[in-house]
Amino acid sequence: MPELTISDSLVHYRISSRTPPGSMAAVCLHGSGADSIVWSAQLSRLRRKYVVIAPDLPGHGRSAGATLECAADYAAWLQEFARALELKRFFLMGHSFGGAVVQEFARMFPEQAAALALIGTGTRFRFSETYREFFDKGLDPEDPAAAGQLPEQFREAFLFLKNNGSAALHADLMSAAQFDSREWIGTVTAPALVVRGENDYVTPPDMPAELATMLPNAELATIEGAGHVVMLEARDAFNDSVTAFFKACT
């Protein structure tokens, strides 16, 4: 994996190879407790269309440094990352909490956001709010006795994220719990494709539907048979949908 340094911390990222000269960049942000590996199907299959770039966010995967406090902080970090790679204007894809970061970036740096793909995400995160309430009571989702007090859907979702995540999962969920873009998301004018998996139990269907409704220039796509990690579980359908959308935006 290539690397660079931002704020004295080493950042690892993945980048597609053998992309045609002059191709636009598509920067992909992973979600809670994850890293850039979740974008492997896009790095390998979209390289003929875009320069696909997927960083490990600070404190995730192989990137050094501490996790950041909120989505806006990650958006500011992303701007530094883009500057280091000399990216002026590019497509953005964000999964789950990564979608919150993309929303913040499009609000803070609208001139750089050519179009957005927001996957398994919303204007807020009900799952993370439940986690914060549970944690504030001094309970541990990994304690079988305490976990019995959780809704079954939440417990299954937590185990999924923990299984696929990292030591940063707790910080990510707490950051996601404070995210709420409803007051300002209507100012984000970049074209946006909001994508949900038909069987996504981490992000309930009303959350991406609300996001698509509140964005002024958005459409909602449901990928049949997919769960939360749509871009891996239904890679062909997802890639086709995103490619068609980005093509229409250029």
Side-chain angles (χ1 to χ4, degrees):
M1 289 176 65
E3 59 188 43
L4 53 82
T5 300
I6 297 177
S7 301
D8 299 322
S9 292
L10 201 62
V11 175
H12 286 265
Y13 63 98
R14 302 173 194 270
I15 185 167
S16 56
S17 61
R18 300 188 297 278
T19 300
S23 299
M24 197 158 184
V27 178
C28 308
L29 301 185
H30 61 77
S32 299
D35 60 35
S36 58
I37 193 66
V38 301
W39 299 102
S40 58
Q42 287 64 57
L43 286 154
S44 63
R45 301 188 180 202
L46 294 182
R47 61 184 175 83
R48 294 181 180 86
K49 301 286 186 180
Y50 318 106
V51 180
V52 183
I53 303 170
D56 288 348
L57 294 175
H60 297 74
R62 296 177 61 186
S63 288
T67 57
L68 305 183
E69 291 189 2
C70 62
D73 288 347
Y74 281 109
W77 175 91
L78 177 58
Q79 201 275 337
E80 292 297 317
F81 177 78
R83 180 183 299 169
L85 292 180
E86 299 183 347
L87 302 178
K88 304 299 184 183
R89 185 171 171 79
F90 47 92
F91 297 127
L92 279 156
M93 292 194 276
H95 175 244
S96 199
F97 181 60
V101 179
V102 168
Q103 291 176 57
E104 288 280 14
F105 185 91
R107 177 180 69 89
M108 296 164 64
F109 309 103
E111 70 285 353
Q112 292 182 258
L116 320 175
L118 302 164
I119 307 107
T121 192
T123 60
R124 57 199 193 283
F125 296 93
R126 190 174 301 151
F127 175 85
S128 297
E129 291 169 355
T130 303
Y131 178 86
R132 180 177 61 186
E133 293 167 1
F134 196 76
F135 183 81
D136 287 346
K137 294 177 182 177
L139 301 174
D140 182 357
E142 296 184 78
D143 178 355
Q149 302 178 42
L150 286 169
E152 180 64 19
Q153 193 175 84
F154 175 90
R155 191 170 66 83
E156 291 177 355
F158 176 79
L159 292 174
F160 167 81
L161 291 173
K162 177 178 176 292
N163 184 59
N164 290 276
S166 69
L169 175 58
H170 168 73
D172 290 344
L173 291 177
M174 296 299 277
S175 296
Q178 63 177 303
F179 178 76
D180 190 334
S181 63
R182 287 175 293 178
E183 289 190 2
W184 51 261
I185 195 62
T187 67
V188 174
T189 57
L193 178 67
V194 181
V195 183
R196 63 171 292 269
E198 178 186 27
N199 301 320
D200 185 351
Y201 298 115
V202 175
T203 305
D206 60 306
M207 305 305 284
E210 177 187 62
L211 175 60
T213 298
M214 297 187 74
L215 280 162
N217 190 15
E219 58 185 77
L220 178 65
T222 299
I223 306 296
E224 295 182 0
H228 187 56
V229 192
V230 184
M231 61 280 193
L232 281 179
E233 298 174 22
R235 59 193 66 188
D236 291 339
F238 174 83
N239 288 346
D240 289 347
S241 181
V242 168
T243 298
F245 180 76
F246 284 165
K247 183 179 180 180
C249 294
T250 55

